[in-house]
Amino acid sequence: LIANLSSVCPESSTFSMSVDRNARAWILMQSGNLYQVDINNPSSCTNSGWVSGTSGYDLFGMGFVSNSIVDPGDDLYMHSWTGLGGFSEGTNVGTLGRMSPTTLAVTTQGSLNYDGGELTGNVAGQLFAFAGSGPAKLVQYDKDTAAAVATTPMNGLDLTNAFAFATWQGKFYFFTESSTPSLSKVTRYDPTTMVLDEVVPTAPMRIVGAGVST
């Protein structure tokens, strides 16, 4: 999908990405424009009609999350970033937004103690973030209040200029820049064993967005 992006979208400077349960990739550009691409037929790129800056959201990390384990409907959650300096921590420095994929209407669920972060959901309809510094953290948020339910430091792992986040089969995958310029590495965290291990030291590309359909 990413390899094909520059040929089908009018711009290719990607900031974040997520995938809804209809197999559409939602791709946020550095410009603030939000596009949609059918991952089963990535030959066209459609502007979603989202207006950058709506409800105060310009550039943001994002992730689709199911309503619950029995309700497969999903909304797009948004982790705000001020765009000032690096990604950081502090009391109420960020906000959690929730966008309807049909109307694009946004509500702010509450304040966050992280300025910038990426989001992902799981089959149980839970919301998680990859955010923070010194080290980065795996944070579970309450979807309705934005309260931090649980915070787990990922010791030895930091956010980089390009980073992404996804969950698959109960494990979390973190995509950060590797020691090789312009390439990424992949680190996996198993919450059952609490083991954090590097599974791909050097990927063949720089990964700035990742998503798994709910």
Side-chain angles (χ1 to χ4, degrees):
L1 173 65
I2 295 301
N4 197 45
L5 186 60
S6 60
S7 63
V8 298
C9 286
E11 49 188 307
S12 58
S13 184
T14 311
F15 184 81
S16 186
M17 185 190 84
S18 189
V19 180
D20 67 20
R21 66 183 304 102
N22 296 314
R24 290 179 302 175
W26 292 58
I27 304 164
L28 179 67
M29 301 298 184
Q30 294 279 354
S31 65
N33 291 325
L34 183 61
Y35 294 92
Q36 298 170 352
V37 175
D38 182 349
I39 62 174
N40 291 316
N41 182 29
S43 59
S44 64
C45 183
T46 304
N47 193 312
S48 68
W50 161 259
V51 178
S52 180
T54 298
S55 299
Y57 294 91
D58 296 299
L59 294 178
F60 49 88
M62 59 184 183
F64 276 94
V65 186
S66 298
N67 294 330
S68 71
I69 195 169
V70 296
D71 182 354
D74 55 359
D75 285 332
L76 183 64
Y77 287 80
M78 310 154 73
H79 198 304
S80 71
W81 181 49
T82 61
L84 304 174
F87 307 104
S88 60
E89 301 182 27
T91 303
N92 298 333
V93 293
T95 58
L96 177 69
R98 181 176 181 173
M99 180 194 296
S100 164
T102 53
T103 67
L104 305 183
V106 174
T107 58
T108 293
Q109 307 297 91
S111 297
L112 304 174
N113 292 336
Y114 301 94
D115 183 19
E118 281 293 353
L119 299 172
T120 192
N122 63 8
V123 294
Q126 297 171 311
L127 172 65
F128 297 88
F130 179 36
S133 60
K137 282 86 176 171
L138 171 65
V139 186
Q140 181 183 349
Y141 290 139
D142 182 303
K143 293 185 299 185
D144 296 323
T145 67
V149 177
T151 304
T152 306
M154 297 289 102
N155 294 320
L157 189 63
D158 289 302
L159 303 186
T160 51
N161 289 328
F163 71 99
F165 178 44
T167 183
W168 174 250
Q169 296 186 331
K171 299 179 178 63
F172 297 96
Y173 291 84
F174 308 96
F175 305 86
T176 55
E177 292 176 327
S178 73
S179 56
T180 302
S182 300
L183 298 178
S184 294
K185 66 178 180 180
V186 184
T187 307
R188 177 180 58 198
Y189 177 69
D190 186 334
T192 302
T193 62
M194 295 184 291
V195 171
L196 180 69
D197 62 328
E198 189 176 281
V199 292
V200 181
T202 306
M205 65 178 67
R206 187 171 187 254
I207 301 168
V208 299
V212 177
S213 172
T214 58

